Amino acid sequence: MTGILVAAGLSLLVSLLIMPLVIRILYRFKFGQEVRDDGPEGHKTKQGTPTMGGIVIILGAIIGYFGSHLVLMTRPTVSGLLVIFLFVGMGAVGFLDDFIKIYKRRSLGLRSGAKMLGQTIVGAGFAVGVTQFPNGYGYTPASPQLSFLRDFGPPLMIGVFVLWALFLIVGFSNAVNLTDGLDGLATGAMILSLVAYVIIGNWQLRQSCVAYLSPSCYPVRDPLDLAVVAAACLGGCIGFLWYNAPPAKIFMGDTGSLALGGLIVGLAITTRTQLLLLIIGGLFVLITLSVMIQISSFRLTGKRVFRMAPLQHHFELKGWAETTIVIRFWIIQGLMVGVGIGLFYLEWMPR
């Protein structure tokens, strides 16, 4: 538990302290947001707001994670390092996307094929890695099985598992990217999801098969370190939200959204709660579904279901204030995280 608190505290401190400097540097070099011409009219005022703030979230999380191990004189685990690899790798792909947008002064960065290639290389490396490195008990960072509250069903062939992991990684990284359309929206929703994974990792530690064998124990390789990773990223996100709250002084950009999307998938795979992520990350799923519904409806019928997609822009065009949308969407995400945690604990409730 001490490691969780140290990681979150260090990350929060780093994020809060260096963010003003980063904002000044980004302003100086004119690394500002390029707003799409077809977006909501009210977003024109956000043109030029510094972006790529996800760099600070990543930096804070890395310092928090490794600083926690240094303070407590413990060694990072393979599970934690693999999730950090996915987090930083996806952030690097997002950074390239952001940099091209800024350099070429356009709202589109990397071409879709190049972006997908980068996500695939990083995601495949993670997916293969989590099936390796067994510990003394034979537990690998993840197993090639589907999971909800724990693993179920027969093991998948390694190629099928890699494709499944890539589907989740690419899907959720893009889902967080779609959600990052209003000040503080994606950051606040991600904070709630990360709180859930701190709780899950801590509970799995207390019910670990390493401590005692029982029919309901968790064969998770490094649950405590996964909670430390989640806490380190949680602290970074809270520090970032201080400056990203409406009206935002900085945006996370694709650097942050792709990194955080990859992160929660990494945590879901290594805690063996892959399908539970659809609930814990429920707001990201709903917003992605709104885009899919809008595109499908327009292609099939020529009509739009929403005034604009993603979903948050639909409510903007209906006249809702940006802060109202953000807070109500946070409430929805909080409820879904509550349902996810409730389901996770359900099997431990007395019958």
Side-chain angles (χ1 to χ4, degrees):
M1 191 66 181
T2 304
I4 293 173
L5 295 175
V6 172
L10 280 175
S11 180
L12 173 61
L13 191 62
V14 169
S15 185
L16 284 173
L17 290 180
I18 70 172
M19 190 66 77
L21 175 62
V22 171
I23 291 173
R24 287 196 294 271
I25 291 172
L26 292 173
Y27 262 124
R28 181 177 178 181
F29 289 97
K30 298 181 180 180
F31 281 15
Q33 178 73 28
E34 295 294 325
V35 177
R36 292 176 56 180
D37 294 332
D38 57 350
E41 190 64 30
H43 287 209
K44 301 295 184 184
T45 59
K46 300 183 182 185
Q47 180 81 20
T49 301
T51 188
M52 294 198 296
I55 295 171
V56 179
I57 299 175
I58 295 171
L59 181 61
I62 290 173
I63 292 175
Y65 175 71
F66 288 103
S68 172
H69 283 287
L70 186 62
V71 169
L72 300 178
M73 293 184 290
T74 54
R75 297 177 65 180
T77 66
V78 172
S79 300
L81 291 174
L82 283 168
V83 175
I84 290 290
F85 163 76
L86 180 61
F87 176 53
V88 175
M90 295 297 286
V93 175
F95 176 83
L96 287 174
D97 193 43
D98 285 332
F99 185 80
I100 291 171
K101 290 176 187 175
I102 294 165
Y103 182 75
K104 295 193 174 181
R105 299 296 176 190
R106 66 187 193 191
S107 61
L108 297 175
L110 280 173
R111 295 184 182 277
S112 58
K115 191 173 182 179
M116 180 67 73
L117 178 62
Q119 291 174 305
T120 300
I121 291 172
V122 175
F126 168 81
V128 172
V130 293
T131 62
Q132 310 299 315
F133 309 107
N135 63 7
Y137 297 89
Y139 300 147
T140 54
S143 67
Q145 290 178 266
L146 297 178
S147 59
F148 181 49
L149 304 178
R150 56 179 74 240
D151 290 336
F152 67 87
L156 304 175
M157 292 185 295
I158 187 65
V160 176
F161 175 76
V162 169
L163 289 175
W164 166 242
L166 283 174
F167 173 75
L168 291 176
I169 291 166
V170 174
F172 263 91
S173 60
N174 289 325
V176 178
N177 186 258
L178 290 172
T179 306
D180 185 34
L182 300 181
D183 297 353
L185 178 58
T187 314
M190 183 58 62
I191 286 170
L192 293 169
S193 293
L194 290 173
V195 168
Y197 277 107
V198 172
I199 294 171
I200 288 172
N202 189 49
W203 181 254
Q204 289 179 334
L205 170 69
R206 298 176 186 278
Q207 308 296 332
S208 173
C209 295
V210 172
Y212 65 94
L213 288 173
S214 74
S216 55
C217 68
Y218 294 99
V220 176
R221 190 187 193 281
D222 306 298
L224 176 59
D225 207 38
L226 294 172
V228 171
V229 171
C233 297
L234 172 63
C237 285
I238 293 173
F240 176 77
L241 183 59
W242 184 266
Y243 298 95
N244 185 235
K249 294 182 174 138
I250 189 169
F251 301 137
M252 71 169 67
D254 282 21
T255 306
S257 60
L258 295 190
L260 291 170
L263 170 74
I264 56 171
V265 174
L267 290 169
I269 290 174
T270 49
T271 58
R272 308 188 183 199
T273 55
Q274 299 159 19
L275 297 178
L276 186 63
L277 178 59
L278 299 177
I279 300 173
I280 290 175
L283 181 65
F284 306 119
V285 175
L286 288 175
I287 286 176
T288 303
L289 285 175
S290 73
V291 175
M292 294 170 66
I293 290 169
Q294 184 85 327
I295 293 173
S296 299
S297 175
F298 188 76
R299 286 180 177 176
L300 292 173
T301 67
K303 297 180 180 179
R304 293 179 173 86
V305 176
F306 306 105
R307 295 187 181 186
M308 182 178 287
L311 188 61
Q312 62 269 31
H313 299 322
H314 167 77
F315 290 104
E316 276 191 287
L317 295 184
K318 287 191 69 175
W320 288 23
E322 181 172 349
T323 306
T324 301
I325 299 169
V326 169
I327 292 175
R328 287 178 177 172
F329 276 35
W330 282 354
I331 292 171
I332 293 170
Q333 173 69 352
L335 290 172
M336 301 195 79
V337 167
V339 170
I341 292 295
L343 288 172
F344 183 75
Y345 279 111
L346 191 61
E347 64 177 339
W348 293 90
M349 293 180 65
R351 291 177 173 82

